[in-house]
Amino acid sequence: MHTDFDSYLAQYTFEAPCEVEHRESGMNNTTRMIKSGNGRYVLRIYNNHKDADIARLEHEVLGQLSRQELPFQVPVPVRNMLGETVSIAEDGTLSALFRYIEGERPSAGNPAQLLSLGRAAAQLTSALSRISPEGKPLYSPYYELETTYSEMDEAAFLSLSDRTEELKARRKGFDRLQAERRKLLEECEALSRLPKQWIHGDLVLNNTVVRGDEIAGVLDFEFTTVDVRPMELAVIAADLIKAENPSFAEKVKTLLRGYLQSFPLPEEELVSLPLLMKLRFLDVALHFAVRLRDGLDGTDVLCGIIDSSDYGCTWINEHWEEMEL
């Protein structure tokens, strides 16, 4: 086993032979594949927080979902030697072990997989409406953006654009995003009155796996919370809007078709989508602004986030009405 992970793996009992395999990690966590005997597992090390209650709530939600008959799998946490699903290292770093879900990452270039993602998101919306965790939501809903990022106010956010030449080159992007933030603040009270329920909160392509053209697993429920119902769909749609892919509008339409065929949203929720998508872009921008401030990321990460969030909000303003949902 790789010595860097011995302290995490020592909290579990594995069958021999045991092998640790490097796998793609997200921006918030580190993951490793564990091959043990004839079984496979995924070890996740939480880099984004050290709050065990967040991980325990995630696991409670997964437990309630796993008892429903779903057309896809969700992660199953494995208990450690202490009988807990959350392991805590000496420095407070959290980790968890999950049973591996077989499959490949879906492609935004595959219309059948996008349609399946839309259906899976709708099915997850239905399933999450039926759970009743004892734990309380620990992440604020997207419409409470200003409360969530009260320390990253306008002055703090714009000041980041002075840190390096690369960030200075994006000052107009910072300004446009802050202008969107001010406008959305006026809409958040109305958005908060939409129907609420538990949502995944970060259901994007990279948090799913497919077998063939069908979604086989939905992963990474770390950001699960109670929010307005259409926020789930807004997060996935926003993730498809990328400047480097000029055909993304058709991809968004395919995704929405898959979702709305399985879970038709009332008109008031459907018309809220562009505002909720912009909330997602702003939340991501502010999240990574905080990470830069706290020394968790390099300048290049925030530069990319500012570019993509600015592009997304601008595109929605200029083209969303052409979508004809």
Side-chain angles (χ1 to χ4, degrees), residues 150-163:
S150 58
E151 294 185 1
M152 186 52 67
D153 59 13
E154 178 170 348
F157 179 63
L158 295 180
S159 71
L160 293 177
S161 67
D162 294 325
R163 284 203 171 192

Side-chain angles (χ1 to χ4, degrees), residues 179-237:
E180 287 290 350
R181 183 179 179 181
R182 287 194 294 268
K183 286 188 288 186
L184 279 172
L185 181 59
E186 301 172 4
E187 305 283 355
C188 282
E189 183 179 351
L191 291 172
S192 72
R193 294 195 291 269
L194 294 172
K196 300 175 187 65
Q197 66 161 75
W198 286 92
I199 67 168
H200 179 286
D202 194 27
L203 183 51
V204 295
L205 278 170
N206 283 343
N207 284 336
T208 64
V209 294
V210 293
R211 289 196 286 272
D213 286 334
E214 295 298 318
I215 297 295
V218 175
L219 315 175
D220 196 354
F221 282 70
E222 179 185 352
F223 295 103
T224 188
T225 191
V226 172
D227 207 325
V228 296
R229 182 168 57 188
M231 193 70 227
E232 194 83 277
L233 181 55
V235 167
I236 320 172

Side-chain angles (χ1 to χ4, degrees), residues 60-129:
E60 184 184 5
V61 168
L62 289 170
Q64 294 198 16
L65 285 174
S66 68
R67 291 191 286 274
Q68 299 190 41
E69 292 187 9
L70 299 173
F72 49 80
Q73 295 174 270
V74 296
V76 176
V78 177
R79 295 191 180 276
N80 61 23
M81 292 178 182
L82 299 176
E84 301 287 340
T85 61
V86 181
S87 297
I88 307 175
E90 290 185 6
D91 66 353
T93 299
L94 307 177
S95 64
L97 189 72
F98 300 91
R99 297 191 184 279
Y100 177 73
I101 298 175
E102 191 75 42
E104 305 294 332
R105 293 295 189 212
S107 168
N110 185 323
Q113 291 180 354
L114 277 179
L115 200 65
S116 179
L117 176 60
R119 288 195 300 267
Q123 291 153 350
L124 184 61
T125 295
S126 295
L128 286 169
S129 73

Side-chain angles (χ1 to χ4, degrees), residues 305-317:
I305 294 294
I306 293 297
D307 289 346
S308 59
S309 296
D310 178 33
Y311 179 86
C313 288
T314 300
W315 185 86
I316 290 169
N317 287 337

Side-chain angles (χ1 to χ4, degrees), residues 115-318:
L115 200 65
S116 179
L117 176 60
R119 288 195 300 267
Q123 291 153 350
L124 184 61
T125 295
S126 295
L128 286 169
S129 73
R130 296 189 290 268
I131 69 170
S132 300
E134 291 184 10
K136 301 301 181 186
L138 296 169
Y139 283 108
S140 300
Y142 280 88
Y143 59 78
E144 291 185 1
L145 189 79
E146 290 307 308
T147 301
T148 303
Y149 296 104
S150 58
E151 294 185 1
M152 186 52 67
D153 59 13
E154 178 170 348
F157 179 63
L158 295 180
S159 71
L160 293 177
S161 67
D162 294 325
R163 284 203 171 192
T164 67
E165 291 303 316
E166 291 81 6
L167 287 168
K168 285 179 182 177
R170 289 162 172 82
R171 178 61 192 230
K172 289 184 178 179
F174 276 88
D175 288 339
R176 283 190 291 266
L177 287 170
Q178 186 57 45
E180 287 290 350
R181 183 179 179 181
R182 287 194 294 268
K183 286 188 288 186
L184 279 172
L185 181 59
E186 301 172 4
E187 305 283 355
C188 282
E189 183 179 351
L191 291 172
S192 72
R193 294 195 291 269
L194 294 172
K196 300 175 187 65
Q197 66 161 75
W198 286 92
I199 67 168
H200 179 286
D202 194 27
L203 183 51
V204 295
L205 278 170
N206 283 343
N207 284 336
T208 64
V209 294
V210 293
R211 289 196 286 272
D213 286 334
E214 295 298 318
I215 297 295
V218 175
L219 315 175
D220 196 354
F221 282 70
E222 179 185 352
F223 295 103
T224 188
T225 191
V226 172
D227 207 325
V228 296
R229 182 168 57 188
M231 193 70 227
E232 194 83 277
L233 181 55
V235 167
I236 320 172
D239 187 57
L240 294 175
I241 299 176
K242 300 185 185 299
E244 64 271 20
N245 186 349
S247 63
F248 65 76
E250 284 304 314
K251 294 176 173 58
V252 173
K253 286 182 181 179
T254 300
L255 171 83
L256 296 180
R257 186 166 70 252
Y259 186 101
L260 297 172
Q261 286 174 351
S262 300
F263 197 108
L265 289 173
E267 183 66 17
E268 66 169 351
E269 294 178 61
L270 196 57
V271 299
S272 74
L273 277 177
L275 293 175
L276 295 175
M277 291 165 67
K278 287 196 283 185
L279 265 183
R280 166 67 174 186
F281 283 122
L282 283 165
D283 181 89
V284 170
L286 292 169
H287 172 77
F288 283 96
V290 170
R291 286 179 62 87
L292 178 68
R293 180 200 66 190
D294 294 346
L296 299 175
D297 292 324
T299 296
D300 59 321
V301 174
L302 184 59
C303 285
I305 294 294
I306 293 297
D307 289 346
S308 59
S309 296
D310 178 33
Y311 179 86
C313 288
T314 300
W315 185 86
I316 290 169
N317 287 337
E318 295 177 353

